[in-house]
Amino acid sequence: MAGMANNPSTEVATYRATCLFYLGEYKEAQSVAESARPSGLQNRLLFHLAHKFGNEEELMGYHRKLRDVIEDQMSLASIHYMRQHYNEAIEIYQTLLKDNRTYQAMQFYIACCYYKLDYYDSSLDLLSLYLATYPDSAVALNLKACNHFRLYDGRAAEAELKRLEDLATPSFKFAQDLIRHNMVVFRGGDNALQVLPRLVGALPEARLNLAIYYLRQDDVGNAYELMKDVDAL
């Protein structure tokens, strides 16, 4: 009989927990993951769940178990990014890119960090390299439009977003959601009440931008209701 280490069924619980995580079923994902056989993937998953639940003690415990392998370092970089530790994330991505030149997605991840740090020109420089290879990347085109919005104005950003709009298909819901959301932002809040409420559960930025819209309308009550359960970083 095959040993546990060679038996694929021993990984099923971790794979199931991973699926639950991406479905947003975080509590069930944690329960299933904790019952799974210890592995690198299980530790990374529990690491991200600890972040989701704001459990600092568990987060650091899983952090200490991370190894110097690409998967674990990518996981650590993503946690740094979500905790707004952008320089730490950049350092990891740059190290990984230096050792793995074919991992071009690192350029996009670093561009995201530069955008968050308000280094819009640097973000665009890296995006140009990435888009030269992947000109149809929805997330890269969207980030390029966001950089143009910050550097120039909403009209310039819309022009860039038009390329993404041309790529979007009825089945490409994520791209459609990005377009609808960012068109509201680029147009100074036009159609905010028609678009943003339906995207609050789909795009993290939608909640904040809807709250900002309410505040601009002096609707403090609705803004408070939207943000009262959001933890400040």
Side-chain angles (χ1 to χ4, degrees), residues 68 70 92-103:
D68 188 18
I70 290 175
I92 293 173
Y93 290 136
Q94 287 178 333
T95 298
L96 293 175
L97 183 60
K98 180 181 178 181
D99 295 334
N100 304 274
R101 290 294 182 182
T102 59
Y103 289 6

Side-chain angles (χ1 to χ4, degrees), residues 104-105 107-108 123-137 140-141 144 163:
Q104 293 177 313
Q107 295 169 338
F108 171 74
S123 180
L124 283 172
D125 288 343
L126 279 171
L127 280 175
S128 66
L129 296 174
Y130 184 74
L131 285 167
T133 305
Y134 302 102
D136 297 341
S137 169
L141 288 171
K144 184 178 180 181
R163 293 183 60 198

Side-chain angles (χ1 to χ4, degrees), residues 222-233:
N222 272 324
Y224 172 77
E225 286 299 317
L226 267 176
M227 302 303 294
K228 66 180 183 181
D229 296 324
V230 177
D231 293 329
L233 293 177

Side-chain angles (χ1 to χ4, degrees), residues 60-163:
M60 296 310 298
Y62 297 124
H63 185 181
R64 286 190 289 271
K65 294 180 182 179
L66 294 175
R67 300 161 297 161
D68 188 18
V69 297
I70 290 175
E71 295 85 355
D72 283 9
Q73 291 305 302
M74 287 290 291
S75 183
L76 177 58
S78 69
I79 291 292
H80 278 314
Y81 181 88
M82 289 186 287
R83 290 164 70 88
Q84 301 183 2
H85 302 161
Y86 302 121
N87 286 311
E88 290 86 344
I90 288 171
E91 184 177 352
I92 293 173
Y93 290 136
Q94 287 178 333
T95 298
L96 293 175
L97 183 60
K98 180 181 178 181
D99 295 334
N100 304 274
R101 290 294 182 182
T102 59
Y103 289 6
Q104 293 177 313
M106 302 291 179
Q107 295 169 338
F108 171 74
Y109 299 145
I110 297 170
C112 288
C113 294
Y114 281 144
Y115 174 80
K116 291 292 190 178
L117 290 168
D118 298 340
Y119 298 151
Y120 306 121
D121 287 321
S122 297
S123 180
L124 283 172
D125 288 343
L126 279 171
L127 280 175
S128 66
L129 296 174
Y130 184 74
L131 285 167
T133 305
Y134 302 102
D136 297 341
S137 169
V139 290
L141 288 171
N142 178 68
L143 181 57
K144 184 178 180 181
C146 292
N147 274 300
H148 278 237
F149 178 64
R150 295 297 185 181
L151 285 170
Y152 310 114
D153 54 31
R155 189 182 299 273
E158 282 191 50
E160 290 298 326
L161 206 60
K162 182 64 168 62
R163 293 183 60 198

